[in-house]
Amino acid sequence: MAANEHFVIIGAGHAGGVAVQALRGAGHKGPITLIGDELHLPYERPPLSKELLQLGSGVSFRLMRDEAYYKENNVTLKLGITALGIEASSQRISLSDGSNIPYDKLLLTTGGSVRKVDVPGADLNGVHYLRTIDDSRALEKSLREGSNLVVVGGGFIGLEVAASARAHGVDVTVLEAAPQLMGRALPADIAAVFLNLHEENNVTVYLNDGLKAFSGINHVASVDAMSGKSIPADLVVVGVGIIPETLLAKSACLDIDNGIIVDEFARTSDLNIFAAGDNTNHFNPLLNRHLRLETWQNAQNQTVAAAKNMCGGNTVYAETPWVWSDQYDINLQIAGQPAGWNDLIIRGDFPGRNFIAFQFSHDKIEAVIAVNRAREMRIARRLMDANSSVNIDDLANDKISMRDILKSATS
């Protein structure tokens, strides 16, 4: 690797901020250019649906690094500028400011865009999506005690917003088309734990009922459900997932299938282009298959591996998928990507919402769900990463510590 190679990062979100630091940490001495649509320096996204909504506009959001860091590390920032296309044959990028910049190696950390609903009234004022710091700030300003919020979508983001809104005294209704909450992530019996949690906090939840339209003149006034219900709404948050950003990858003729296809080294089908984060469909050697993740862990750790490999390394990104959610006083963590949830081994107090559940494949832990058991989850993830054999009866016995189980496990 030539010392003066120009590395370009497109996407200045969490992964983009990590990439700058990881490239310098891996020894890259050449110039780095970071391009991003937003005017903000890179920041972490998890607080957008949690602390920032709950604690108000007086709380500063977390920058990855301050502006001085980028100056000191020879990083050119092109913020508020959109990359329009990649000409891979000449290794050049066209930008919305009319300029073209060359690259020796390119990293795509473009993440994804919110999935928008196409129904009558979708363009009314008061209909919010949550993806950026500006989205979070605009929503927080609208959260007023006694107002009516309708959340469309009962996934992680929707339920975190619901919990945050209740902290402001907002009346909240959740509209979910599926028969349970967090259907992509949880089995039905554990999803029911969170349904009860939200109902105990005076959130109205409608399951098996989809969105038909928004009603109002200029500003949303109600949400019309498929069942015929009309739900009063002073504001709405739509949280129905994201779409991986692949337009730039298409312009570079990269392989795409539910995201940008990358191998375990974060390499795309072009040797000079890498990709990491929500926009990738990456090969995971632990699972022996490709998967696309929308998690903090993936944006962080896959990007670190990509940066090392751009600098000539051969670092494999192979980790057990892990995600968390905070709702009220409950911390939910999920590790693994099982084909299905069945015959779960429960350890702890299920009715008291303090437990950890294990999905097994033979004598190995395939996946774990932890509710207010963060320490035990850390040990469970170590057992999964090591592909350790464990005694199922010991795991089910809450009197046997997870540390003792870890000591007695065999690989």
Side-chain angles (χ1 to χ4, degrees), residues 33 35 76 78 81-86 92-102:
T33 298
I35 303 166
T76 299
K78 289 186 174 291
I81 294 174
T82 301
L84 301 178
I86 301 166
R92 299 189 71 84
I93 304 160
S94 59
L95 303 179
S96 59
D97 64 359
S99 65
N100 288 271
I101 62 171

Side-chain angles (χ1 to χ4, degrees), residues 76-398:
T76 299
L77 297 173
K78 289 186 174 291
L79 303 179
I81 294 174
T82 301
L84 301 178
I86 301 166
E87 189 175 306
S89 59
S90 62
Q91 295 180 220
R92 299 189 71 84
I93 304 160
S94 59
L95 303 179
S96 59
D97 64 359
S99 65
N100 288 271
I101 62 171
Y103 65 87
D104 292 298
K105 286 191 172 64
L106 173 62
L107 176 60
L108 299 175
T109 55
T110 48
S113 56
V114 291
R115 189 181 300 277
K116 295 193 174 183
V117 293
D118 184 15
V119 299
D123 58 349
L124 288 170
N125 292 325
V127 176
H128 295 260
Y129 295 85
L130 185 58
R131 185 64 178 166
T132 69
I133 182 65
D134 293 329
D135 295 337
S136 183
R137 289 295 194 218
L139 176 59
E140 189 275 330
K141 289 178 181 177
S142 301
L143 295 177
R144 296 292 176 263
E145 185 173 356
S147 61
N148 294 308
L149 165 67
V150 177
V151 177
V152 178
F156 281 20
I157 294 297
L159 296 180
E160 289 169 2
V161 168
S164 297
R166 287 298 300 137
H168 287 270
V170 175
D171 294 330
V172 180
T173 299
V174 174
L175 186 66
E176 170 55 56
Q180 67 168 74
L181 297 176
M182 295 181 283
R184 291 172 54 192
L186 296 180
D189 53 350
I190 296 181
V193 170
F194 285 85
L195 173 62
N196 293 336
L197 171 68
H198 282 273
E199 289 181 338
E200 286 174 13
N201 283 275
N202 297 313
V203 174
T204 300
V205 180
Y206 295 122
L207 301 175
N208 292 302
D209 204 353
L211 171 67
K212 183 177 181 181
F214 301 115
S215 295
I217 300 173
N218 297 323
H219 195 283
V220 67
S222 64
V223 174
D224 303 325
M226 286 295 187
S227 63
K229 296 185 187 76
S230 179
I231 308 166
D234 298 303
L235 66 156
V236 172
V237 173
V238 179
V240 291
I242 71 167
I243 301 171
E245 180 51 65
T246 59
L247 288 177
L248 284 172
K250 289 179 182 177
S251 72
C253 298
L254 303 181
D255 291 344
I256 297 168
D257 182 10
N258 185 30
I260 304 168
I261 298 293
V262 297
D263 61 15
E264 62 268 40
F265 305 100
R267 299 188 182 109
T268 72
S269 52
D270 184 308
L271 294 177
N272 295 310
I273 302 178
F274 294 70
D278 294 358
N279 58 339
T280 64
N281 187 349
H282 75 276
F283 182 75
N284 185 315
L286 295 180
L287 302 178
N288 197 33
R289 61 185 174 89
H290 277 80
L291 69 161
R292 190 175 69 81
L293 300 173
E294 301 169 10
T295 66
W296 178 94
Q297 174 206 33
N298 191 56
Q300 175 81 22
N301 297 347
Q302 188 189 25
T303 302
V304 171
K308 291 178 178 178
N309 295 333
M310 289 173 71
C311 294
N314 203 35
T315 299
V316 173
Y317 175 61
E319 297 184 2
T320 300
W322 170 73
V323 66
W324 86 89
S325 177
D326 292 319
Q327 300 169 34
Y328 308 104
D329 59 347
I330 301 297
N331 172 252
L332 167 67
Q333 298 188 37
I334 305 169
Q337 288 268 311
W341 298 99
N342 54 75
D343 300 324
L344 289 175
I345 304 299
I346 304 294
R347 172 189 179 90
D349 182 3
F350 191 91
R353 296 195 280 257
N354 188 294
F355 64 90
I356 186 166
F358 300 91
Q359 173 71 45
F360 274 84
S361 177
H362 303 294
D363 60 348
K364 307 289 179 67
I365 302 172
E366 184 181 16
V368 185
I369 301 169
V371 174
N372 280 352
R373 293 219 168 185
R375 290 184 180 179
E376 293 193 345
M377 172 58 92
R378 285 194 289 271
I379 296 174
R381 289 171 64 193
R382 290 176 62 183
L383 290 166
M384 294 172 71
D385 287 342
N387 199 31
S388 299
S389 297
V390 294
N391 185 297
I392 295 177
D393 291 335
D394 287 350
L395 272 181
N397 188 344
D398 209 15

